[in-house]
Amino acid sequence: MTVHVPPQGEAPTFHHFIDGRWVPSATGRTFESRNPADRRDLVGRFQAGDAADVARAIMAAGDALPGWQATPAPRRGEILYRFGALLAERKEEIARAMTREMGKVLTEARGDVQEGIDIAFLMAGEGRRLFGDTVPSELPDKWAMSIRVPIGVAGIVTPWNFPVAIPCWKMMPALVTGNTVVFKPATDTPHCATLLVEVMAEAGFPPGTVNLVTGTGADVGDAIVSSADVDVVSFTGSTAVGKRIAETAGRRLKRLSLELGGKNAIVVMADADLDLAVDGILWSAFGTTGQRCTAASRLVVERSVHDRLVAMLAERAASLRLGPGLDPGTEVGPLINEAAVEKVAAYVEIGRQAGAEVACGGAPVRDDDLAHGSFFAPTILTGVRPMDRVAQEEIFGPVLSVIAVDGYEEAVAAVNGTRYGLSSAIFTRDVNRAFRAMRDFRTGIVYVNAGTIGAETHLPFGGVKETGNGGREAGHAALDTYTEWKSVYVDFSGRLQRAQIDNQPAGDEPGAR
Ligand code: UN1
């Protein structure tokens, strides 16, 4: 494909969105976003925000809170519904913009936007539910119930790999429950964020309920996380950054949701349907160029089928077509940037040094049409041991480390033997073993006879151990991040009833006799 390369001056300049208006940064500085499939293609210039911009956005979000909270939740839900419908109308345009800005192939970019639409509709429905409990009181003529209340201003800090889905996962539950939002997208995907907020504005979110500030983590993200006026923060990104955010937020006892690293494994037992396993492994390891939190980066395989499976995988992986994601024939797009190419290459070298063999790929691809992009060949490393660095550290690229094991127990030990715990999968035809895996794999998500990617928006999404801090996105579990519980007791007896005292007949307390 030939990418149209406009003269640099032609690229548009985009703005922050604060209090319902598109505004420049106080710094007057901008930064560029470029197409990772061809860096000559400049997507646009974006405001390099700083603490002053964040302060304006937080103030707008704070001012919008009373009006938004006074809006009945079903009405808020209707705006979410409108947003979902408008996003569906603009799906193709936004998917194309996404592929251009961050590289994933067009079919996957459409899926990313679709995930945003799905969560918008799911959360629109929550506007009519937001269930609490109504329970009997231990006293006569008294009611007891619990209701959800919003927390306040939500700071939303998101990654580039799902530039529509993940901001929607966070903003939709935050907004339907009555919080207002300050949104800081990744510096690699400010255009996707701008388009998303454009649709939100059109859907009718009132001024100040959604504010967008673009810029770096150091300038914008830190200002959001450390602000006394941001009440809840939701972050998806690396475990290292997540830990720093947790320290800062912890000092203020701020509500915090973290979705961090993964080192997801697929187990293939000897009795598995190997053709199906190959499809699932390729999709999970090399889909989105391996840049999903849920990507399979380890394959744990029973030794008796190891050589056959590796041969099947290597043949298919080597024939995957690399290219710009807008080309219909492309199966694997570029990595997000050159730093990612260097990181992935460094890990392949680390694997080699530790004794792994490269069954396919192993290097950046810079031929002809791909010379101006950040391409890396789908890579399979064999002979990896469970504690090797390539089996322990998140690479976030198209690298699959293969670990051979003798039997199920050893497979479980390998799956669970990392500091992460997001997603896992087992391929087997033995139903008993499938159920054991569902019980034994210590991850927030487990797949049976499917790869590790492709979570749906109506179930909780998140992981255990250093993958997060216990919260979950998506499903109705997401509401817990953005609400506090308020327990309400209504006494209509007309007299003072003392719980735990008046409900015990005098002298009849348990243990009194
Ligand atoms: C991510 O990579 O952070 O389950 C999100 C999946 C997608 C979401 C991935 N629905 O692979």
Side-chain angles (χ1 to χ4, degrees), residues 30 42 65 67 71 105 123 129 153-154 160 166 178 210 234 240 242 254 257 282 304 341 363-364 416 436 465 483:
T30 58
L42 179 63
L65 267 179
T71 307
V105 297
M123 288 296 152
R129 285 189 293 265
V153 174
W160 46 264
I166 291 179
V210 182
S234 180
K254 209 175 278 232
S257 167
L282 290 172
S304 59
V341 174
N416 293 342
R436 280 187 199 119
K465 298 192 274 183
T483 54

Side-chain angles (χ1 to χ4, degrees), residues 115 161-162 166 169 292-294 453-455 461:
E115 211 164 325
N161 68 332
F162 275 81
I166 291 179
W169 285 3
R292 291 196 193 208
C293 305
T294 48
I453 68 176
F461 180 95

Side-chain angles (χ1 to χ4, degrees), residues 151 153-157 170 182 221 224-227 230-236 245-246 249 254-258 469 481-482:
I151 297 184
V153 174
I156 303 296
V157 183
K170 297 180 189 301
V182 176
I224 292 174
V225 172
S226 58
S227 168
V230 171
D231 308 288
V232 44
V233 168
S234 180
F235 168 77
T236 296
I245 290 177
K254 209 175 278 232
R255 180 70 67 88
L256 179 64
S257 167
L258 298 171
N469 63 342
T481 297
Y482 303 99

